Amino acid sequence: MNQLELNDYISKSIKSMLKSAFKNSLQNPKEAAFLTKSGRIVQKSVRRRKEMERKGYHIPPFFIGTVTSRQSADASYAVKNYDTSEKMLAATDWDRIFHEAESLGISSIILSGEEPFLRNDVMEKAATHQNIIFPIIVNGTHLSPEKINIFDLHRNLVPIIHMERRPKKVNHENDIDAAISQLNQTGIFFGVIITTTTECLEPLTSKPFIERLTERGCRIILYLESEPKANDTDIFNARKIFQERLN
């Protein structure tokens, strides 16, 4: 698959995801309005990327931006004596990047990091770019009412709750249930990203598990492979299992 085919595949996948999510949001006016607007954003971005393609420029539909590697001081996973002297891009630099991305036809920018909301200045800049969708990977155990209100006010910021699952520690009634319930009750479009291994892949891709999430308002489910000690064969087999389970 060449770069052009890959971009086209990703664009079609995003359109399909939005269409599917829209069907499940008809009882939620705010969510339906967000998805309708998102569809227009994606279509406009596709046209712009095609224009750039004709000029010889390959523009991706999205990219991932790590806004910080700092951790919340009260996070249960925080590392003691963590070095906070990292050099980070200023909010004005991110604002410039967002402007440039929009002009090139990039419709989505995933904001990640240990705790993206430690950079409230960047979140504020992102919220002003209404023609870009910003999925933000967040720690559900620290999703406060104040943060939920930000997502409610700025619908182009989409919370993606990080769920980490390890072998022998799979628990469907997890510690982020409260955050999921609050997002669902507020009518916010949200998703989850699940870090998993092949050893606990089956329950996390099972129909009951996925239905449980969708019934609680989850509209996006992403999987992140974590095979730290795996060789190339193990990784190939893991991806094959993913494709078989999710197709």
Side-chain angles (χ1 to χ4, degrees):
M1 182 181 292
N2 61 37
Q3 186 65 49
L4 183 59
E5 292 172 333
L6 178 60
N7 284 356
D8 186 57
Y9 172 79
I10 294 175
S11 297
K12 289 180 179 179
S13 296
I14 293 174
K15 287 181 181 179
S16 177
M17 179 196 70
L18 291 174
K19 184 177 181 180
S20 177
F22 181 79
K23 291 180 180 179
N24 295 314
S25 68
L26 296 180
Q27 301 303 317
N28 184 337
K30 285 186 177 181
E31 187 174 311
F34 161 75
L35 290 168
T36 299
K37 182 178 180 180
S38 297
R40 291 197 294 266
I41 290 173
V42 170
Q43 290 177 350
K44 181 179 178 181
S45 297
V46 168
R47 290 195 297 269
R48 178 56 178 160
R49 289 198 301 275
K50 287 182 177 179
E51 289 177 9
M52 298 299 292
E53 187 69 35
R54 287 193 289 270
K55 295 177 181 179
Y57 299 102
H58 300 290
I59 308 299
F62 71 94
F63 70 83
I64 301 174
T66 303
V67 297
T68 181
S69 60
R70 290 181 349 197
Q71 299 168 318
S72 174
D74 62 343
S76 60
Y77 53 81
V79 179
K80 293 182 179 179
N81 301 319
Y82 188 81
D83 181 11
T84 58
S85 63
E86 62 168 330
K87 293 183 178 179
M88 299 181 293
L89 286 176
T92 52
D93 292 325
W94 279 110
D95 191 39
R96 173 180 54 79
I97 291 171
F98 299 155
H99 275 293
E100 292 177 356
E102 183 178 346
S103 69
L104 291 172
I106 295 175
S107 59
S108 180
I109 300 175
I110 301 173
L111 299 182
S112 66
E114 292 292 344
E115 284 287 344
F117 268 97
L118 286 177
R119 294 297 309 276
N120 283 329
D121 53 345
V122 178
M123 300 300 109
E124 290 173 358
K125 294 294 185 183
T128 64
H129 292 269
Q130 292 293 311
N131 289 323
I132 298 179
I133 303 167
F134 292 92
I136 302 175
I137 300 177
V138 296
N139 177 2
T141 59
H142 293 84
L143 198 58
S144 65
E146 291 76 18
K147 292 175 184 176
I148 290 178
N149 186 55
I150 290 174
F151 286 120
D152 190 26
L153 292 174
H154 306 287
R155 292 282 166 153
N156 65 320
L157 307 183
V158 179
I160 305 294
I161 300 176
H162 182 214
M163 301 171 63
E164 186 170 6
R165 291 292 172 266
R166 296 296 181 184
K168 301 181 181 178
K169 292 185 179 180
V170 179
N171 180 8
H172 294 167
E173 300 299 326
N174 52 70
D175 56 1
I176 62 168
D177 279 358
I180 289 178
S181 296
Q182 290 175 341
L183 289 169
N184 190 28
Q185 291 170 8
T186 311
I188 294 173
F189 183 92
F190 73 95
V192 299
I193 180 169
I194 305 171
T195 301
T196 185
T197 67
T198 53
E199 295 180 71
C200 54
L201 177 61
E202 184 173 350
L204 294 175
T205 55
S206 67
K207 186 176 180 180
F209 178 74
I210 292 175
E211 287 181 344
R212 189 174 293 111
L213 284 173
T214 56
E215 286 171 358
R216 301 185 65 188
C218 180
R219 298 292 179 249
I220 303 173
I221 302 177
L222 305 174
Y223 290 93
L224 180 63
E225 298 172 79
S226 177
E227 305 288 349
K229 298 181 181 180
N231 55 39
D232 290 343
T233 301
D234 292 333
I235 294 174
F236 174 80
N237 291 335
R239 290 178 179 172
K240 185 177 180 181
I241 293 173
F242 266 108
Q243 291 174 348
E244 291 174 349
R245 296 283 300 177
L246 300 177
N247 282 340

